[in-house]
Amino acid sequence: MKISLALLILLLAAAWTGSQGMSFRSSRANCCSKEMFYRRKIPEFRIQGYQYTPPTCSHRAVLVKLLEGMVCVDPEKKWFQEYLRKEKKRNSTST
């Protein structure tokens, strides 16, 4: 009886630890390393959307959604700043 209770506790602890590790990995999956940054300008018509990476990431970045998938972009790049200004102007005139 003691062995089965200890085994049950061990299995529950392992399951809890595994789920905690998985949630940690999934939150880090939204981060970009410097090596992952897309270096060239992306034409505006290819951009489907974007989102900033969480503040817990080691590098500040933007995940840009394209038809082919997501790419990491430096939010300080001049072309991206121009894209944001155009989007802001487009959104303010459409409302």
Side-chain angles (χ1 to χ4, degrees), residues 82-95:
E82 290 172 3
Y83 170 78
L84 289 179
R85 276 194 290 281
K86 288 179 184 176
E87 282 297 299
K88 187 175 182 180
K89 186 183 284 187
R90 187 176 303 142
N91 290 337
S92 67
T93 58
S94 66
T95 55

Side-chain angles (χ1 to χ4, degrees), residues 52 60-62 73-81:
Y52 287 90
R60 191 163 168 245
V62 176
V73 172
D74 180 351
E76 300 301 319
K77 288 285 189 182
K78 184 178 177 182
W79 72 263
F80 187 73
Q81 291 295 317

